[in-house]
């Protein structure tokens, strides 16, 4: 084993595939799901983590960060800046632990947000003295789809109807609390995925 | 198995690691080493391919492309544009085969050349209807070093003293033929690596 990597994990297709790849590479993968203490949607990520056989930890970040993100959503009328903000804070929080040497996530080549450009990625590594590993960065959507479909049983639904351990669920809830319909902020036909099983033949790969 | 991926391969640390990752992901990896028919340095790549247990093929591209690259080196006084040009031609050549559905290389996040930005990567995929997979794109130098060192036995030397199956060897030769000292074009302390063995415990990974 090469050592620990702390991997931001929602239970979705992308973060599950990235975790699976990290394990294949020989790392000891420790999944981290972020919560702001508003909902218990982290439990869906935990379910997936258990199914895939990974260690899993729920990390609570300050509610103030979620509030700031809600403001960004309202100001912009769209969620991009807020999700980018929360993801950067999550990475920094995990990276700031003294024993963490490697952090990771499931961001992809074709993602707009969350996404750290080369400058931001290197800055994160330098500020916290960690390696930031993104196993999906060099993969297009076709490759991610064929890999994920060959390994996982995946549930796909519209965002609002799918519960998983991402930032979106708590953002939606907080918007509703503020009397704002989340549909006015989040794109309406935004499909999300959650990994609910692993295919039998996956274990046969070497 | 997920199917074939045609992977540009020099025998160096990066393209070897990328090939190893592709195999771990479940692909049938077919290594391709480019030659312009000037030297037989492709044989070093073939040696490494045999050591790692991959299928290997040598593909000859038109000498005219190498000549154009030599002109670029002379014009610029540095090799960046020439190497980028040759790599793009190599990718296009492999991608243009009707049976090729996936192409790949060992380019990394921190590479300047050869490197395809997002626009170029997508254009390559669209023009040839292939997936372009870069397993190392989301990995920094620390991660690549620790992975490669844990898997491979690596020989590291200055470029001029290390024989491998890359574009540089034939470019250097052609420059010398034109009466130009390659040292005036290529950076003097440019370290190169070649994989010369695989570590015993590598096979133990699942």
């Amino acid at each position: 084993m090469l050592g620990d990597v702390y991997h931001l994990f929602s239970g979705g297709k992308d973060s599950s595939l990235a975790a699976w790849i990290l394990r294949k590479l020989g790392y000891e993968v420790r999944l981290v799901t972020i919560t702001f203490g508003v909902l218990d949607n982290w439990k869906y990520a935990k379910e997936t983590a258990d199914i895939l056989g990974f260690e899993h930890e729920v990390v609570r970040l300050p509610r103030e960060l979620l509030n700031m993100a809600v403001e960004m959503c309202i100001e912009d009328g769209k969620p991009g800046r807020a999700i980018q903000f929360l993801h950067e804070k999550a990475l920094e929080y995990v990276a700031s632990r003294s024993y963490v040497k490697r952090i990771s996530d499931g961001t992809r080549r074709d993602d707009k947000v969350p996404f750290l450009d080369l400058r931001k990625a290197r800055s994160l590594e330098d500020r916290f003295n960690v390696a930031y590993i993104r196993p999906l960065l060099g993969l297009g959507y076709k490759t991610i789809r064929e890999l994920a479909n060959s390994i996982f049983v995946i549930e796909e639904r519209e965002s609002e109807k799918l519960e998983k351990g991402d930032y979106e669920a708590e953002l939606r809830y907080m918007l509703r609390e503020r009397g704002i319909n989340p549909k006015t902020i989040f794109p309406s036909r935004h499909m999300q995925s959650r990994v609910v099983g692993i295919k039998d033949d996956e274990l046969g790969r070497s």
Side-chain angles (χ1 to χ4, degrees), chain A residues 23-204:
Chain A
R23 182 161 62 187
K24 283 279 176 199
L25 296 184
Y27 289 106
E28 187 71 53
V29 183
R30 300 177 184 278
L31 304 184
V32 176
T33 299
I34 300 296
T35 181
F36 297 94
V38 174
L39 299 176
D40 62 356
N41 61 312
W42 53 262
K43 73 184 180 195
Y44 299 102
K46 182 162 191 50
E47 265 178 39
T48 301
D50 289 346
I51 290 166
L52 302 183
F54 287 106
E55 274 199 48
H56 181 255
E57 163 190 15
V58 180
V59 167
R60 182 165 171 172
L61 294 196
R63 183 82 59 98
E64 182 54 23
L65 295 175
L66 183 64
N67 292 337
M68 289 167 74
V70 170
E71 295 301 329
M72 291 178 198
C73 284
I74 296 170
E75 227 175 279
D76 299 351
K78 55 190 182 188
R81 184 165 57 109
I83 286 171
Q84 179 72 21
F85 170 76
L86 292 178
H87 193 64
E88 288 183 20
K89 291 297 169 196
L91 287 168
E92 287 170 1
Y93 190 88
V94 176
S96 70
R97 294 168 166 180
S98 61
Y99 55 86
V100 170
K101 299 268 178 287
R102 296 172 204 85
I103 56 171
S104 173
D105 63 29
T107 54
R108 330 161 13 148
R109 189 190 78 180
D110 301 310
D111 280 342
K112 285 200 191 100
V113 290
F115 187 80
L116 274 67
D117 62 22
L118 184 55
R119 191 187 55 80
K120 279 193 171 177
R122 284 187 179 155
S123 160
L124 180 70
E125 292 186 328
D126 293 344
R127 278 180 294 142
F128 297 99
N129 193 28
V130 295
Y132 175 38
I133 309 177
R134 289 176 285 185
L136 307 190
L137 202 66
L139 280 53
Y141 73 95
K142 271 189 196 175
T143 304
I144 288 170
R145 192 178 53 198
E146 77 178 358
L147 282 170
N149 288 338
S150 80
I151 302 161
F152 303 128
V153 182
I154 299 166
E155 191 185 345
E156 277 196 312
R157 279 201 259 167
E158 279 179 40
S159 295
E160 273 202 295
K161 293 172 188 158
L162 189 88
E163 307 241 44
K164 69 176 183 178
D166 61 3
Y167 316 122
E168 199 173 319
E170 288 182 312
L171 275 175
R172 284 176 184 278
Y173 180 87
M174 293 296 282
L175 285 165
R176 252 181 252 113
E177 288 284 290
R178 295 274 295 265
I180 293 161
N181 182 349
K183 283 191 180 172
T184 63
I185 305 286
F186 287 90
S188 59
R189 294 202 57 242
H190 185 198
M191 293 298 284
Q192 289 282 8
S193 68
R194 189 159 78 92
V195 169
V196 294
I198 191 156
K199 294 192 172 163
D200 286 347
D201 57 343
E202 190 277 319
L203 296 171

